[in-house]
């Protein structure tokens, strides 16, 4: 079984996230794709103050229409700082027929991967699918993938579908200002954010 893993805070999940998972399933055909909202990531530490259970609910809404995708609470249940290497090990234990993990990551994460907690182990044991940002340095990322292969024996592959250039932090800031965010997130996520009064200062 080939299992794809896409982790993040998903605060909120947006059209770029959804597009990337659709592209991943189309281009690489994993048997299962696990979308895993983090409890707390090393650089961010729940900076938005949104309860992890709410981020989990949003992720379940956002990815519900994509076949073979499961939104997992594995990192939220574990608590503490969410490290991808720990999640990969847990997935392999839970899915004992898992033959390969495909880790989906964006351009910045791909560049910094060797510096993650046990990042070189991830490069040695997982297939890394990287998604260049729109207008990014795709050639430079290809060279970096070759470097990772030479240094760690890494299997790194580029997602061909062009990424949607939007970030969750920009969406949070827009929501906080009261701006319309409907072009960035699905309608049901807009409704959820409004219902739960998320990303407001009061």
């Amino acid at each position: 079984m080939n299992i794809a893993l896409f982790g993040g805070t998903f605060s909120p999940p947006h059209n770029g996230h959804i597009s990337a998972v659709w592209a991943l399933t189309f281009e690489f055909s994993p048997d299962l794709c696990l979308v895993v909202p983090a409890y707390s990531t090393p650089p961010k530490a729940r900076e938005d103050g949104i309860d992890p259970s709410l981020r989990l609910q949003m992720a379940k809404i956002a990815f519900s229409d994509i076949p073979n995708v499961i939104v997992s609470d594995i990192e939220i249940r574990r608590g503490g700082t969410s490290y991808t290497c720990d999640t990969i090990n847990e997935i392999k234990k839970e899915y004992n027929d898992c033959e390969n993990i495909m880790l989906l990551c964006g351009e910045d994460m791909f560049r910094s991967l060797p510096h993650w907690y046990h990042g070189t182990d991830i490069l040695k044991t997982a297939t890394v699918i990287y998604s260049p940002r729109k207008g990014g340095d795709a050639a430079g990322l290809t060279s970096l993938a070759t470097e990772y292969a030479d240094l760690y024996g890494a299997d790194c592959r580029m997602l061909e579908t062009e990424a949607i250039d939007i970030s969750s932090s920009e969406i949070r800031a827009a929501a906080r200002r009261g701006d319309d965010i409907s072009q960035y997130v699905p309608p049901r996520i807009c409704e959820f954010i409004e219902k739960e009064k998320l990303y407001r200062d009061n």
Side-chain angles (χ1 to χ4, degrees), residues 13 18 54-66 71 186-193 195-196:
I18 298 165
L54 294 174
R55 294 189 286 103
L56 179 68
Q57 290 181 60
M58 284 195 286
K60 288 181 176 180
I61 292 168
F63 296 98
S64 61
D65 294 332
I66 308 178
V71 175
R188 287 188 294 165
I189 296 299
C190 277
E191 293 167 5
F192 188 92
I193 290 171
K195 176 186 174 184
E196 298 294 335

Side-chain angles (χ1 to χ4, degrees), residues 18-143:
I18 298 165
S19 174
V21 173
W22 271 113
L24 173 70
T25 59
F26 178 75
E27 293 181 31
F28 295 97
S29 303
D31 299 296
L32 178 66
C33 179
L34 295 177
V35 174
V36 182
Y39 180 78
S40 175
T41 59
K44 295 184 179 179
R46 294 177 63 189
E47 64 183 17
D48 57 28
I50 301 301
D51 189 281
S53 66
L54 294 174
R55 294 189 286 103
L56 179 68
Q57 290 181 60
M58 284 195 286
K60 288 181 176 180
I61 292 168
F63 296 98
S64 61
D65 294 332
I66 308 178
N68 300 322
V69 170
I70 294 176
V71 175
S72 171
D73 65 351
I74 187 171
E75 291 187 351
I76 291 175
R77 280 189 283 111
R78 191 168 69 227
T81 302
S82 300
Y83 291 112
T84 299
C85 62
D86 294 337
T87 301
I88 288 174
N89 290 334
E90 285 193 48
I91 289 171
K92 288 180 176 179
K93 290 178 183 177
E94 184 171 340
Y95 297 89
N96 52 26
D97 58 345
C98 175
E99 298 174 350
N100 183 42
I101 296 284
M102 294 186 286
L103 175 66
L104 175 62
C105 61
E107 181 172 323
D108 292 340
M109 294 295 99
F110 183 63
R111 291 184 185 280
S112 65
L113 222 167
H115 306 290
W116 291 13
Y117 180 68
H118 290 302
T120 56
D121 291 335
I122 295 172
L123 284 163
K124 291 174 182 177
T125 59
T127 299
V128 180
I129 311 297
Y130 59 95
S131 176
R133 65 165 56 94
K134 184 177 181 179
D137 182 15
L141 293 176
T142 300
S143 296

Side-chain angles (χ1 to χ4, degrees), residues 134-157:
K134 184 177 181 179
D137 182 15
L141 293 176
T142 300
S143 296
L144 187 60
T146 301
E147 181 181 326
Y148 289 166
D150 292 341
L151 290 173
Y152 313 112
D155 180 7
C156 302
R157 309 179 191 184

